[in-house]
Amino acid sequence: MKKIIGVYRNQNMHWVGDGFPVKNLFSYDRLGQAISPFLLLDYAAPYHFNPTTAQHGVGSHPHRGFETVTIAYQGEVSHKDSSGGGGQIKTGDVQWMTAGAGLMHEEFHSEEFAKSGGLFEMVQLWVNLPAADKMTPPRYQAIEAQDIPVIQLDDNAGHIRVIAGRYIADHAEHAGPASTFSPVNVWDGELKVQHRHHIQVPVDHNVLVVVLSGEMLLNGTQKVQDSSIVLFAQDGEANIQLEALQDTKFLVLTGLPLNEPIEGYGPFVMNSKEEIMQAFNDFNSGKFGEIAVTG
């Protein structure tokens, strides 16, 4: 089984805008190339919002050089951008946004969710773009829950959803709907207490297991609590054993390392300081455009 080389937990919550109470579970400025091509993961653990007519979320902000992946577990988000894109991310859906050359973006609780209130729970993952693709035109992949393959585990133990990449189960390959610029797997799942499950991952990928809620025993030895990530060695091994000590919600992220410099500042992630300065210049000169005002 793959060797565990690090376990990191963060229980500290901070607000992104006034709509997203998140815990930052990993970021490139702490872990660098060890998590390439992944950059950052924020987990908005279940949080109850009261009904309101006010708009809660994050106003207009820029991105360049990477992709954002929003996984909606509970609640709904409405979003739009300066390239004319937009829509709703509903419970169970995934939005895969390629910022690429740059755009302005805003995201708020949907009007319907704000009116009804309730539990809000989401993950936002940042995936780096290869240097050759950092200035690709912005685009969206709106992935609805019904289009994500779901593998039911034996003995009613839980399930795994294949958002991106390929997952092999019972000698069958299940392909996720997301299109990616470099080889990555994004699988999310639930495992019920006292059940075990073995997963196979590519031996040449960086591998992360993210325990969102519950508690797990990994590889029979390592206890992992909620709001934690586990980092594995690139040791030629492909197998990881998951065992739920409590009902657990988790993510498995694997990716072929880009092996390129990472230079980031705020909403921009490029390969050099010069490219970051250029991003600020382009942003300040209005090259990212503006979000159209409706209503």
Side-chain angles (χ1 to χ4, degrees):
M1 287 188 282
K2 289 189 80 66
K3 182 182 178 183
I4 295 169
I5 57 172
V7 180
Y8 308 91
R9 189 183 193 205
N10 183 18
Q11 293 180 284
N12 297 316
M13 186 269 278
H14 69 276
W15 285 88
V16 176
D18 64 359
F20 306 104
V22 304
K23 302 173 185 177
N24 178 250
L25 300 192
F26 68 76
S27 62
Y28 65 91
D29 55 357
R30 295 196 302 271
L31 296 172
Q33 297 289 349
I35 58 172
S36 175
F38 305 108
L39 293 168
L40 173 148
L41 186 142
D42 281 341
Y43 175 44
Y47 187 95
H48 187 271
F49 285 90
N50 292 324
T52 181
T53 55
Q55 195 176 49
H56 288 302
V58 183
S60 182
H61 58 280
H63 291 298
R64 172 179 278 181
F66 60 97
E67 302 183 287
T68 66
V69 181
T70 303
I71 305 171
Y73 292 106
Q74 300 183 80
E76 291 184 8
V77 169
S78 295
H79 68 95
K80 56 183 178 178
D81 70 34
S82 55
S83 69
Q88 283 203 345
I89 313 166
K90 299 185 177 183
T91 297
D93 293 350
V94 174
Q95 180 214 66
W96 200 293
M97 183 183 85
T98 304
L103 47 64
M104 302 299 295
H105 189 236
E106 67 177 32
E107 46 209 332
F108 294 97
H109 295 180
S110 73
E111 194 174 331
E112 294 85 350
F113 177 76
K115 281 181 180 177
S116 64
L119 285 174
F120 187 90
E121 179 184 12
M122 300 210 177
V123 158
Q124 187 167 96
L125 170 70
W126 290 13
V127 183
N128 206 1
L129 286 169
D133 298 308
K134 280 193 173 290
M135 296 299 284
T136 196
R139 65 167 183 159
Y140 283 101
Q141 298 173 73
I143 302 169
E144 295 185 0
Q146 65 197 35
D147 297 323
I148 301 172
V150 181
I151 295 111
Q152 298 296 337
L153 305 183
D154 292 341
D155 301 322
N156 197 32
H159 68 264
I160 287 176
R161 300 196 310 162
V162 186
I163 296 167
R166 283 166 170 71
Y167 184 88
I168 297 172
D170 297 325
H171 307 293
E173 189 175 81
H174 304 267
S179 170
T180 65
F181 284 83
S182 65
V184 299
N185 291 301
V186 177
W187 308 326
D188 76 336
E190 295 183 7
L191 190 61
K192 294 180 181 175
V193 64
Q194 295 185 333
H195 284 276
R196 292 180 186 171
H197 183 65
H198 284 82
I199 55 172
Q200 279 194 316
V201 295
V203 296
D204 56 350
H205 282 204
N206 284 332
V207 177
L208 292 156
V209 169
V210 184
V211 177
L212 299 173
S213 62
E215 187 176 12
M216 273 191 170
L217 187 68
L218 292 186
N219 293 349
T221 59
Q222 179 68 55
K223 276 190 180 181
V224 185
Q225 295 175 290
D226 63 288
S227 304
S228 297
I229 69 156
V230 183
L231 198 57
F232 294 84
Q234 277 220 21
D235 54 8
E237 294 290 328
N239 291 300
I240 297 170
Q241 179 183 282
L242 312 175
E243 181 179 349
L245 302 178
Q246 303 171 6
D247 287 351
T248 301
K249 184 179 294 183
F250 65 92
L251 281 161
V252 178
L253 309 174
T254 90
L256 189 68
L258 297 180
N259 294 322
E260 296 172 347
I262 302 169
E263 191 71 43
Y265 192 94
F268 308 133
V269 182
M270 303 299 289
N271 300 110
S272 68
K273 288 183 179 177
E274 291 76 17
E275 289 173 329
I276 294 293
M277 292 175 66
Q278 186 63 53
F280 272 102
N281 289 337
D282 290 348
F283 166 60
N284 289 328
S285 62
K287 290 185 179 178
F288 284 26
E290 292 183 2
I291 298 170
V293 177
T294 56

